Structures are given as structure tokens and as C-alpha cells.
């Protein structure tokens, strides 16, 4: 089978600032936030892995009902770096990874595709950019495997992206959803996003 670019949704956070489990918080249409984010990524990457915590039985059931693949990160409490490394390890033979966050449910399909196409065109790393501000998703080619597997702590892929900026391909998109991560219930309303005009 040809190697494919695998989607990784990081959904193992603790929602400390939100005041409740924001991953299960319903959007306007009633869909739990993490499930909406997972659906959007899976629509672009046929193989998408959702990284969750060991105690995530409710979220795991929701994702399983959708036919989505999950990976439990035993060290998720130690930070996003552990979660990303865990997702990459579960798909170590991929051609690359398209990485998104569970608390960013408003990213448009075109933004996922922009980063995916950059990877397919040979980028080592790629990242969506809106109005000069970098956001998600981010993409890593298979060349980044060893550094992704070595991630720890709470930095996620940020240090890798910053470590070799000449190899990072920016993907300009007209989508404020790429910088709209939900940290408070008031931000669940799509009207609270920055303007794309």
C-alpha cells in the first residue's frame, strides 16, 4: 500500500481554562467540539488518529461510533509533545502528518487541503497562515519522524517548526478558523472569530 499522509488530532488536553471538558462541549449544531474537529480532519485524511487520555471513555465511545481511530496517550498529562509523539508512533510508516487540535473546530476544508498539498509537493514542514498569523493545521513530512518521536513536554511541534524556518512552507488561507482555538465557552460562537475581510 502506498504511504499516505495521516491526520493526527490532538485531543488529550485538560481544558483547565474552559471550566469544563471543552472537547465534549456542544457547538451550535449540538456536535461535541472534538468530534466536529475529528470529522473535519478525517474528511481530508482517510486515516486520521485522535490522541486521547487514558480516562476518556465518553470521548472514546463517541469517536468509535464514528469509526474514528483513537490512540491512548498514557503520558498525556505531561504535555502536548507527548501526545503528538504518541500519534506519530502509531503511524510511524506514514508519508507525513497533518496535525490539528480538538479545540479548533472552525478550520475550513480548504485550509487542511492547503497544508496537505504543500506536503505532497515536497515540503518538509508546512503551516496554515491567516492575515500573517500562523495557526493550524501544521504538516510534517516523514523526514521529521525522529524529531517528532523525541517530543516531550508541552511544546508540541512548535520547537520543530521554529528550529528550521527555511524549511517551513507557509500556506496562506482566507480562514480565521485556523487561529481560533476555543479556550472559553464564549469563543464557541463562530461570530467571535476574527474577521476574514
Amino acid at each position: 500500500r502506498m504511504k499516505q499522509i495521516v491526520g493526527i488530532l490532538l485531543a488529550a488536553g485538560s481544558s483547565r481554562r474552559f471550566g469544563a471538558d471543552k472537547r465534549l462541549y456542544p457547538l451550535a449544531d449540538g456536535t461535541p467540539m472534538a468530534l466536529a474537529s475529528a470529522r473535519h480532519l478525517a474528511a481530508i485524511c482517510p486515516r486520521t488518529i485522535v490522541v486521547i487520555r487514558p480516562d476518556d471513555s465518553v470521548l472514546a465511545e463517541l469517536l468509535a461510533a464514528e469509526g474514528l481511530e483513537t490512540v491512548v496517550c498514557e503520558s498525556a498529562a505531561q504535555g502536548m509533545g507527548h501526545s503528538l509523539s504518541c500519534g506519530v508512533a502509531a503511524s510511524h510508516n506514514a508519508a507525513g502528518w497533518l496535525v490539528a487540535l480538538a479545540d479548533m473546530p472552525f478550520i475550513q476544508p480548504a485550509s487542511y487541503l492547503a497544508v496537505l498539498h504543500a506536503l505532497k509537493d515536497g515540503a518538509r514542514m508546512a503551516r496554515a497562515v491567516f492575515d500573517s498569523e500562523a495557526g493550524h493545521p501544521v504538516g510534517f513530512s516523514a523526514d521529521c519522524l525522529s524529531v517528532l518521536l523525541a517530543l516531550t513536554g508541552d511544546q508540541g511541534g512548535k520547537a520543530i517548526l521554529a528550529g528550521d524556518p527555511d524549511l517551513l512552507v507557509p500556506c496562506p488561507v482566507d480562514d480565521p478558523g485556523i487561529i481560533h482555538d476555543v479556550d472559553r465557552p464564549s469563543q464557541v460562537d463562530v461570530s467571535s472569530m476574527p474577521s476574514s475581510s
Side-chain angles (χ1 to χ4, degrees), residues 23-24 52-64 72:
R23 301 167 306 162
L24 299 176
I52 59 176
R53 299 192 308 251
D55 58 349
D56 278 336
S57 57
V58 174
L59 181 57
E61 287 177 13
L62 283 172
L63 295 165
V72 175

Side-chain angles (χ1 to χ4, degrees), residues 125-151:
M125 302 178 293
R127 185 167 204 173
V129 177
F130 169 71
D131 197 22
S132 300
E133 188 171 348
H136 282 80
V138 297
F140 300 95
S141 76
D143 292 341
C144 297
L145 175 63
S146 60
V147 288
L148 288 167
L149 290 176
L151 283 173

